[in-house]
Every structure is written in C-alpha cells, then in structure tokens.
C-alpha cells in the first residue's frame, strides 16, 4: 500500500504555477497511491465552503476526480484554512482528521498533524490560534457577507506577513519539549507534520531513551514536496515546480 503526504501548498489565484503543479501531481503521482494525506494549508486562506471561487471549484473537481479513481483522501486543518468544513470535504470526497491523528504507518505508531500546535514558544501565535478556534467566533465570521470576509482575510494575511518579519526563525520552529510531550502522550515513535516549511527527517530521543522520528514536510514554492510511504521505504521527495509544468 502506498501513502502520500503533502502540506503547505498555499494555493491562491496569484500562483497559477502552483495550481497547475498540484493538479499535475494529482493526475500523475497521486494516481498511483492508495491514500493521500493533506496536512493543512492547502490554500493560502479559506473564507468558507460557500465561496465557490474558480480556484475552489477547480481544486474540488481535481480532488473528487482522484477520489473517484480509488485514492482515499484525508485532510488535517492548517493555520490558514482551519475553517474548511464538511461541505467542502464531502464535495472533494475527503475525510477530515482531528488536530492530532494517531495511526499506524510502516509498522509504527504514528501521529499526523499540521504542526503549528508544536510551536509553543511563539506565544502570540498560540493566543491567536486559541481565539480563532472558538466555535462562536467562526460562526460569526462564516455568516458575514463574502466581500467582508475577503477583506478580513486580506488584513490577516498582511498582519501575518508583517509579524513573521519581526520574529526570529527559532521562535517560529517547533519547541523540542512540545514534540517529546506529543510523542509520549500518544505513545508514538513516528510524527509527520508541516507548517514550519523546513523539510527534514529528524531523529528524536524520548525521555525513556526510545528513538523516534519526526518528518517535516516542505512547502510548495520553488519546489513541490511530498512524503511517500510504501511497504518498503519512507522517502521525502522534492521536485522543482517548473519541471511539473512542462
């Protein structure tokens, strides 16, 4: 059985090259997989399942086509598209996952998550994350007119970009103790996440000296990144975006 994992594509109308690369990925590499896991931030921002923009419709169709081909689709919310709802998932043929999803991969107890909850040194972001997860606040936002939601989304994006420029790279990375705590809470030895845009396979030693691995997925910008797990290997793969568009 072949399973693929991606995260942090940040699709938007301003990057047609990424949209084309993603659709090409779904029509080629993903067609050979049994399962595809999208671990958050597929979109640059999500203002509601009711938006039905050309981009949203294009991606919905591409994902549904893959699902109809027999590949099972799973989605973990990111910090940019945490309001993706049941309607969009149903239209795509996707299953929505909880914030931390325990499963078995390659014979190991594994955890799948977006990864932002591990960045606990960034206290300002964690406050923002808690506030935006309030159900009543999401309800209010989703019942605003679409034009108002677009303006709010643009303001949040601008604030996020400005905030990142003022923060050190270390504070935006995962906190080592939070990683270990998550591993031990779920009794896992393998973790897969995105969010930090720092693709790498890390060896981790837990408090009981048990070895573990943390695999960080890369973001799609100049390169596309995906993790491929089958019955034989675990491979973190990258490919220049421009080669997928030829």
């Amino acid at each position: 059985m072949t399973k693929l994992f991606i995260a942090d594509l940040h699709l938007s109308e301003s990057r047609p090259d990424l949209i084309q690369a993603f659709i090409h990925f779904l029509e080629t590499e993903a067609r050979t997989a049994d399962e595809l896991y999208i671990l958050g931030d597929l979109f640059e921002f999500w203002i509601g399942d009711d938006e039905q923009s050309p981009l949203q419709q294009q991606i919905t169709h591409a994902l549904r086509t893959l699902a109809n081909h027999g590949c099972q689709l799973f989605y973990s919310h990111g910090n940019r598209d945490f309001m993706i709802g049941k309607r969009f998932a149903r239209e795509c043929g996707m299953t929505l996952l909880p914030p931390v999803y325990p499963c078995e991969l390659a014979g190991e107890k594994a955890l799948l998550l977006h990864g932002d909850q591990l960045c606990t040194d960034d206290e300002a972001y964690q406050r923002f994350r808690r506030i935006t997860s309030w159900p009543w606040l999401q309800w209010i936002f989703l019942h605003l007119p679409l034009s108002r939601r677009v303006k709010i989304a643009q303001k949040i994006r601008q604030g996020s970009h400005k905030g990142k420029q003022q923060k050190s790279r270390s504070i935006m990375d995962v906190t080592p103790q939070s990683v270990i705590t998550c591993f031990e809470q779920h009794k896992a030895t393998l973790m897969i996440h995105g969010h930090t845009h720092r693709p790498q396979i890390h060896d981790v030693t837990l408090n009981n000296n048990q070895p573990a691995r943390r695999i960080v997925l890369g973001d799609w910008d100049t390169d596309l990144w995906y993790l491929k797990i089958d019955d034989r290997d675990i491979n973190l793969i990258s490919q220049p975006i421009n080669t997928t568009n030829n």
Side-chain angles (χ1 to χ4, degrees):
M1 177 173 282
T2 299
K3 302 182 181 185
L4 302 179
F5 303 81
I6 59 174
D8 300 295
L9 282 71
H10 296 274
L11 298 178
S12 70
E13 288 84 353
S14 65
R15 289 294 306 270
D17 57 329
L18 292 186
I19 298 169
Q20 186 177 347
F22 179 53
I23 291 176
H24 180 75
F25 174 80
L26 296 181
E27 293 174 343
T28 54
E29 185 67 34
R31 282 285 184 100
T32 68
D34 299 286
E35 297 175 358
L36 172 64
Y37 293 81
I38 305 172
L39 301 186
D41 286 1
L42 175 62
F43 295 94
E44 176 65 11
F45 207 87
W46 190 260
I47 62 171
D49 290 7
D50 60 331
E51 182 186 10
Q52 296 298 302
S53 66
L55 170 61
Q56 187 172 324
Q57 293 181 45
Q58 188 178 14
I59 299 305
T60 299
H61 174 74
L63 288 170
R64 169 54 74 175
T65 299
L66 179 63
N68 290 343
H69 191 265
C71 181
Q72 295 185 67
L73 308 181
F74 301 89
Y75 197 88
S76 178
H77 291 97
N79 57 296
R80 296 298 186 109
D81 53 16
F82 55 88
M83 283 190 289
I84 281 180
K86 294 179 181 178
R87 173 179 166 181
F88 177 70
R90 183 175 61 252
E91 291 173 349
C92 294
M94 291 192 306
T95 298
L96 295 177
L97 301 178
V100 179
Y101 179 63
C103 59
E104 185 170 309
L105 293 171
E108 292 187 66
K109 180 69 176 295
L111 302 174
L112 306 180
L113 59 160
H114 178 58
D116 57 329
Q117 60 267 66
L118 300 173
C119 303
T120 51
D121 282 346
D122 191 347
E123 295 178 358
Y125 169 71
Q126 292 301 328
R127 283 195 299 272
F128 173 80
R129 186 174 181 273
R130 285 193 298 271
I131 291 170
T132 54
S133 68
W134 292 343
W136 65 267
L137 188 61
Q138 292 187 13
W139 187 91
I140 290 175
F141 178 81
L142 292 173
H143 284 76
L144 293 172
L146 276 171
S147 58
R148 182 78 180 277
R149 280 181 262 164
V150 169
K151 291 179 181 177
I152 293 173
Q154 290 171 343
K155 247 184 181 179
I156 292 175
R157 281 200 299 267
Q158 291 168 0
S160 174
H161 179 70
K162 184 178 180 181
K164 283 182 178 180
Q165 291 178 325
Q166 297 172 347
K167 293 177 183 178
S168 67
R169 282 181 58 82
S170 60
I171 203 172
M172 292 188 291
D173 201 356
V174 300
T175 304
Q177 186 54 52
S178 296
V179 171
I180 291 175
T181 299
C182 190
F183 266 123
E184 296 184 340
Q185 180 182 355
H186 295 276
K187 297 180 172 58
T189 57
L190 178 63
M191 178 186 292
I192 302 171
H193 70 83
H195 181 65
T196 64
H197 300 189
R198 302 178 186 184
Q200 193 170 339
I201 299 178
H202 299 269
D203 292 322
V204 179
T205 301
L206 305 182
N207 288 326
N208 60 0
N209 290 323
Q210 183 177 13
R213 283 178 298 174
R214 179 172 66 92
I215 303 177
V216 185
L217 303 171
D219 63 310
W220 289 34
D221 185 12
T222 57
D223 298 283
L224 65 82
W225 287 88
Y226 64 97
L227 179 70
K228 183 175 184 178
I229 298 180
D230 57 28
D231 298 330
R232 297 166 297 177
D233 298 302
I234 296 179
N235 292 307
L236 187 58
I237 301 166
S238 68
Q239 182 181 347
I241 291 290
N242 58 10
T243 66
T244 68
N245 297 331
N246 294 331

